[in-house]
Amino acid sequence: MDTRFQTAVASIGELLRGWRERRALSQLALALQAGVSSRHLSFVETGRAQPGRDLILRLAEELDIPLRERNALLVSAGFAPVFEAGAFDDPAFDGIRAIVDLTLARHKPFPAYLIDRHWNIVRSNAAVPALYEGVDAALLRPPINVIRLVLHPGGLAPRVLNLGTWRLHYVAMLRRQIQMTADPQLEHLLREVLAYPGPTDSGHEPLAGPAVPLIIQTRLGRLSFISATTVFGSAADVTLEEVALELLHPADAFTESAVLRAS
């Protein structure tokens, strides 16, 4: 068989070493945390020893590896994945969807949405349509990406009055996520965002208060929102671990009254 064009597949040892180095841990430090000998961990990383499923899961827990990537580690070692990864519309999520839909409905008339790991909107309460007036129609086609919607020059960016601050915020968030997940789709999104024209720093935008609002000019006036994020604790499903609720709260009295009047 001609193997010249086969892509090399990383071994379980190489994958574990990559995650350990990503977390900036020495072999000794990880071995102590996981309750194994550093010699055995060294043998696992170099391929001289094959780890069992329990050891892989224990190391993954200590390395805080996302559930999706834990499944990938297990498969690379010849084991079946142990974490479910159902679609959000599956019947198994009926209870979770009910909680999400109730939260979205109760938050109206202020914007709220559920996003996936790539910042795509899964569900939304479609509040404050004035926010999206003038946005390029292509950016509003599903799946709508929140970061792209805010920072793209055809999106909200021309009307975001503290765009430099939010650009820095989203870039920092993406870099942290990439560090945690090694997700190539997030890496692609980061490269795209860095290529957008616009301010690259927030030095001209003095910060005040404990949280940075999203300040945007609309036909309702200058609106200011504080974002609050909610994730599901103790998630044992890949899909549930990767979604988050984003709720935009009015940051000042004018925003609250303007949105209430328009609803």
Side-chain angles (χ1 to χ4, degrees), residues 183-224:
D183 190 311
Q185 195 164 329
L186 290 175
E187 292 175 349
H188 176 79
L189 181 59
L190 175 61
R191 289 194 296 271
E192 178 185 331
V193 165
L194 291 174
Y196 291 161
T200 57
D201 64 71
S202 59
H204 62 290
E205 298 164 359
L207 305 181
V212 179
L214 175 67
I215 306 172
I216 183 166
Q217 190 66 46
T218 74
R219 62 176 172 81
L220 302 178
R222 174 173 161 157
L223 303 182
S224 182

Side-chain angles (χ1 to χ4, degrees), residues 172-189:
M173 290 278 288
L174 283 172
R175 284 176 171 153
R176 283 197 296 271
Q177 281 186 276
I178 292 166
Q179 179 64 25
M180 287 297 298
T181 67
D183 190 311
Q185 195 164 329
L186 290 175
E187 292 175 349
H188 176 79
L189 181 59

Side-chain angles (χ1 to χ4, degrees), residues 35-107:
V36 298
S37 73
S38 57
R39 176 184 173 87
H40 183 60
L41 179 58
S42 175
F43 280 8
V44 166
E45 290 189 355
T46 58
R48 296 175 65 185
Q50 185 70 9
R53 188 182 72 164
D54 289 346
L55 178 57
I56 293 172
L57 291 173
R58 191 156 76 249
L59 291 171
E61 180 71 22
E62 295 300 332
L63 290 168
D64 196 22
I65 297 175
L67 300 185
R68 180 180 297 273
E69 281 68 37
R70 295 187 198 193
N71 278 344
L73 288 174
L74 290 167
V75 170
S76 74
F79 299 107
V82 299
F83 300 103
E84 296 291 333
F88 195 72
D89 289 332
D90 285 355
F93 284 92
D94 284 351
I96 299 297
R97 282 199 310 276
I99 293 171
V100 169
D101 289 342
L102 180 62
T103 302
L104 295 178
R106 286 183 172 176
H107 198 66

Side-chain angles (χ1 to χ4, degrees), residues 160-166 168 199 201-208 212:
V160 175
L161 302 182
N162 55 345
L163 182 61
T165 295
W166 277 86
L168 284 177
D201 64 71
S202 59
H204 62 290
E205 298 164 359
L207 305 181
V212 179

